[in-house]
Amino acid sequence: MTDRTLRPPAPTSADVARRAGVSRATVSYALNDNTTARVSEATRARVRAAAEELGYVPNFAARTLRAGSNRTVLLPTPDIPVGPLFSRFLIELQRGLVRRGYAVVQYGAGDRAPGGVEQARAWAELRPAAVFGANGLSDEAVRVLRGAGVRALVAVASAPVPGLHTLVLDHSRVGAAAVAHLAQRGCRRIGVVVPAEPELAVFAGPRLRGAREAAAAGGAHAEPVDLAYTEESAAELAGRWRELGLDGVFAYNDEYAMLLQRALQDAGLEVPADVAVIGADDLLLGRLLRPRLSTVRIELPGGAPLSEAIDRLVRGPGEEPEVVGEVAVEVEWRESTGRG
Amino acid sequence: MTDRTLRPPAPTSADVARRAGVSRATVSYALNDNTTARVSEATRARVRAAAEELGYVPNFAARTLRAGSNRTVLLPTPDIPVGPLFSRFLIELQRGLVRRGYAVVQYGAGDRAPGGVEQARAWAELRPAAVFGANGLSDEAVRVLRGAGVRALVAVASAPVPGLHTLVLDHSRVGAAAVAHLAQRGCRRIGVVVPAEPELAVFAGPRLRGAREAAAAGGAHAEPVDLAYTEESAAELAGRWRELGLDGVFAYNDEYAMLLQRALQDAGLEVPADVAVIGADDLLLGRLLRPRLSTVRIELPGGAPLSEAIDRLVRGPGEEPEVVGEVAVEVEWRESTGRG
DNA sequence: TTGAAAGCGGTACCAA
DNA sequence: TTGGTACCGCTTTCAA
């Protein structure tokens, strides 16, 4: 039984060359508008036509192998659903990078341990020019990636990571801003929602820490309260709110805040009179609540400056780790913490 | 001026071979646990150690080039922020595929026209085994991808696409389900929200079409109403609701529905007495409204069966286009359309 | 202006 | 059990 594949193999530059009656070199020159070797207009047209007719597409692997490098930026796909804020940020970043001639590849980890060598190896195989979002890497993982020639390793982290470039996004400042605001509005016993969903722990931890520090500084007390993203959990928490004796709450983000505020109201508590509520992310939906939800706005850098920074890091020989951007947070004061 | 790169080049299998005192072939055998060529335990250990010490990672491009193919599934990144529903779906699909040994690559289009040859070429360069989400491709684009040896082209579309495999997600059925429900609840003049955001037109169009068909079938009238995702737009629309004379509205999805319901209430209309409201997507937040928001639940297939189907298509020689899955929709009846 | 040929890194056949 | 080597497709130097 002949194992002849039904599908013909993809056309190569040799096929194009044959069809156009030129050499493979000429095909390469013609299609890449190479300036060093000047190809006549006539030949170029013949080559273009042949390529078109055959549906020729250059083989990325071969090109990469030959060139030795790769205008590819790797964005490790987060393994938790991302909110609209971050989703928009990624799209913008992607646009910026593509504009600068990079291919942007979001690479899924599957079940591999985040930050581990396994994952680093999977990334390193692709020999990307940069990895954006190289968070929580072990030293070994960094070594592997560096060894594979990755030019720029950019982490998104709360503080500059030694040896890496960093986009500073300090979640503790989100918690701090929220709780400072509550303390300033007169709250003394402040709940801090810690989502029960384990995949959110990486954000929830720092937010809680920041909240605690701000509470201490503002002469208030911060009390962690667990909350799962379900109506039942919210109702249960609201049910024992009076015995908790909390007069304010930072609810992790706007979605948890909306959930909790509704539950608190259903339990007969007045917002903000009995308990002030603040979220984070500045979702439009938070403004629809009554009272309108106060929130901590997180201002991610735009795609343009960030992609410019990445491009610079990739080209530049500079080895010094640098901070490629800083994320600002600001409180948006609305009715749920007593405005108006 | 010597252009010596500061960074040493990435170690190759030749480096490993040298260090372990064996040939490149043996390195390949040892590291890939090749069964045809049996390598002694001792050599294998030496090779492993050498690879480890050097931080060797095989070059994906070289491997791909040699193998001629690629266990890669391409997921074109949508260029609009995705909701939690679809985001979760993608993560699940990704997990499933990685488990089956595929590398999942989300590839951003940047500014390239969707469905065009440009885009197809960019994808084809990578020689992926499959493309999931190959929507709206021109014939030419399909030809290019086929020619590049892509085994499985799966579109997500409202109906089986001739020549492609399809995950059937018919947005018209979302609109139809919503409006049929409203008609059944007694609505006769039904508004159908059409988001002003142009990137949503691909979904809004079919939803409106389905809504119209269902209205006709239910003896009602469907009236498209424009709405941007801002409070101002919602207030403006709500302000002229009485003159529109609509007694029900399908608000495109839950987010627009929440926005509109709030605006309608602020304009003094009773939901559902004056106007019944239904969204889509079954977001948790919709349940927090008062009245609770009715919605159309969209049941995407799980990652496991879908990745199994993709795997089968990639391996299988079968050329017949097939439907790899069907998305069901179901109305979740709550208070905003009169339940309770 | 074009062609011949080397070589990128890894795999797999054939020989030893 | 291991080594030598051809080859995957493309780019680029050198020669013609």
Side-chain angles (χ1 to χ4, degrees):
Chain A
M1 179 140 43
T2 49
D3 191 23
R4 216 156 30 109
T5 315
L6 295 169
R7 230 182 268 286
T12 72
S13 74
D15 296 323
V16 177
R18 225 181 335 270
R19 188 168 181 118
V22 298
S23 74
R24 288 164 57 217
T26 306
V27 170
S28 175
Y29 294 141
L31 295 182
N32 296 325
D33 293 323
N34 189 313
T35 43
T36 63
R38 300 190 33 70
V39 178
S40 72
E41 241 346 290
T43 327
R44 188 184 302 273
R46 276 219 315 292
V47 170
R48 284 236 176 86
E52 187 65 35
E53 286 157 26
L54 292 172
Y56 168 73
V57 178
N59 183 317
F60 182 78
R63 176 176 283 176
T64 296
L65 182 56
R66 169 65 224 218
S69 76
N70 213 335
R71 283 183 73 83
T72 292
V73 175
L74 199 66
L75 302 180
T77 316
D79 48 358
I80 54 170
V82 298
L85 195 73
F86 196 63
S87 182
R88 208 173 288 273
F89 166 75
L90 283 182
I91 289 170
E92 246 198 82
L93 175 58
Q94 198 146 270
R95 283 239 166 77
L97 287 169
V98 169
R99 232 170 249 145
R100 288 177 184 279
Y102 291 90
V104 176
V105 164
Q106 282 192 53
Y107 197 54
D111 294 324
R112 282 181 280 258
V117 198
E118 278 299 299
Q119 180 165 90
R121 260 196 267 273
W123 295 348
E125 280 194 352
L126 302 179
R127 303 286 192 272
V131 177
F132 180 89
N135 300 336
L137 296 182
S138 66
D139 291 353
E140 178 68 4
V142 170
R143 208 186 115 237
V144 165
L145 289 166
R146 278 273 141 72
V150 178
R151 307 295 303 262
L153 281 173
V154 185
V156 180
S158 17
V161 180
L164 299 192
H165 306 296
T166 318
L167 172 66
V168 176
L169 200 185
D170 188 354
H171 283 275
S172 78
R173 292 180 55 193
V174 177
V179 167
H181 172 74
L182 289 172
Q184 210 176 349
R185 306 295 318 147
C187 299
R188 283 299 160 262
R189 288 184 46 77
I190 299 171
V192 179
V193 166
V194 178
E197 287 70 23
E199 63 271 21
L200 297 179
V202 278
F203 309 123
R207 287 185 186 195
L208 174 58
R209 186 166 45 74
R212 283 192 153 126
E213 288 165 7
H221 168 75
E223 179 75 26
V225 292
D226 291 338
L227 174 61
Y229 193 59
T230 63
E231 284 188 284
E232 296 72 39
S233 176
E236 188 274 330
L237 176 58
R240 56 190 173 85
W241 198 264
R242 285 179 213 275
E243 67 190 73
L244 287 169
L246 302 172
D247 55 5
V249 61
F250 165 53
Y252 177 70
N253 73 9
D254 283 353
E255 291 181 304
Y256 284 84
M258 292 172 79
L259 182 62
L260 182 56
Q261 174 163 318
R262 163 54 62 194
L264 290 169
Q265 290 173 322
D266 286 350
L269 288 131
E270 286 285 330
V271 177
D274 296 328
V275 47
V277 178
I278 185 168
D281 287 358
D282 192 19
L283 298 190
L284 173 58
L285 295 180
R287 297 183 216 187
L288 307 180
L289 295 196
R290 296 297 180 268
R292 288 164 186 269
L293 185 65
S294 292
T295 192
V296 179
R297 191 147 26 84
I298 298 174
E299 280 159 3
L300 292 164
L306 205 46
S307 54
E308 196 246 299
I310 292 174
D311 186 34
R312 188 165 38 72
L313 294 173
V314 168
R315 324 165 80 100
E319 295 290 317
E320 298 89 55
E322 74 178 63
V323 171
V324 298
E326 199 133 2
V327 175
V329 304
E330 196 166 351
V331 169
E332 189 74 29
W333 183 23
R334 303 210 186 96
E335 298 156 8
S336 72
T337 55
R339 177 159 202 169
Chain B
M1 178 140 42
T2 48
D3 192 20
R4 214 155 32 111
T5 315
L6 297 169
R7 230 183 268 285
T12 71
S13 76
D15 297 322
V16 176
R18 229 185 326 275
R19 188 167 179 116
V22 298
S23 74
R24 293 195 307 146
T26 306
V27 170
S28 175
Y29 294 143
L31 295 182
N32 295 325
D33 294 323
N34 189 314
T35 44
T36 62
R38 300 190 34 72
V39 179
S40 74
E41 242 347 290
T43 347
R44 189 185 302 272
R46 278 220 313 293
V47 171
R48 285 235 177 87
E52 188 65 34
E53 287 157 25
L54 292 171
Y56 168 73
V57 178
N59 184 318
F60 181 78
R63 179 177 280 177
T64 297
L65 181 56
R66 170 65 227 218
S69 76
N70 215 336
R71 285 185 72 83
T72 292
V73 176
L74 200 66
L75 302 180
T77 315
D79 47 359
I80 53 171
V82 298
L85 195 74
F86 195 63
S87 181
R88 208 173 288 274
F89 166 75
L90 283 182
I91 289 170
E92 245 198 84
L93 175 58
Q94 198 148 268
R95 283 238 166 77
L97 287 169
V98 169
R99 232 171 247 144
R100 291 180 181 281
Y102 292 90
V104 176
V105 164
Q106 281 192 52
Y107 196 57
D111 293 325
R112 281 180 282 258
V117 198
E118 280 299 301
Q119 181 165 90
R121 260 196 267 271
W123 296 348
E125 280 193 353
L126 303 179
R127 302 287 192 271
V131 177
F132 181 88
N135 300 337
L137 296 181
S138 65
D139 290 353
E140 177 68 4
V142 170
R143 209 187 113 235
V144 165
L145 288 166
R146 278 273 142 70
V150 178
R151 307 295 302 264
L153 280 173
V154 184
V156 180
S158 14
V161 180
L164 300 192
H165 307 294
T166 318
L167 173 65
V168 175
L169 200 186
D170 187 353
H171 284 274
S172 78
R173 291 179 56 193
V174 178
V179 167
H181 172 74
L182 289 171
Q184 208 175 350
R185 306 294 318 147
C187 300
R188 282 298 160 263
R189 289 184 44 79
I190 298 171
V192 179
V193 166
V194 178
E197 287 68 24
E199 63 272 22
L200 297 180
V202 276
F203 309 124
R207 288 187 185 194
L208 174 58
R209 187 166 45 74
R212 283 193 154 128
E213 288 164 7
H221 168 74
E223 179 75 26
V225 292
D226 290 340
L227 174 61
Y229 193 59
T230 64
E231 284 189 285
E232 296 73 38
S233 176
E236 187 274 330
L237 176 58
R240 57 190 173 83
W241 199 264
R242 285 179 212 274
E243 67 190 73
L244 287 169
L246 302 172
D247 54 6
V249 60
F250 164 53
Y252 177 69
N253 73 9
D254 283 354
E255 291 181 303
Y256 283 84
M258 293 171 78
L259 183 62
L260 182 56
Q261 174 162 318
R262 162 55 62 195
L264 290 169
Q265 289 173 323
D266 287 350
L269 288 131
E270 287 284 331
V271 177
D274 296 329
V275 49
V277 179
I278 185 169
D281 286 358
D282 192 19
L283 299 190
L284 174 58
L285 295 180
R287 297 182 215 187
L288 307 180
L289 295 195
R290 295 299 178 265
R292 290 164 184 266
L293 184 66
S294 292
T295 191
V296 179
R297 192 146 25 84
I298 299 174
E299 281 158 4
L300 293 163
L306 206 46
S307 52
E308 196 247 299
I310 292 174
D311 186 34
R312 187 164 39 72
L313 294 173
V314 169
R315 323 165 80 101
E319 296 287 319
E320 300 88 55
E322 74 179 62
V323 172
V324 298
E326 199 134 1
V327 176
V329 303
E330 196 165 352
V331 169
E332 189 74 29
W333 183 24
R334 302 207 187 98
E335 298 156 8
S336 72
T337 55
R339 178 161 201 165

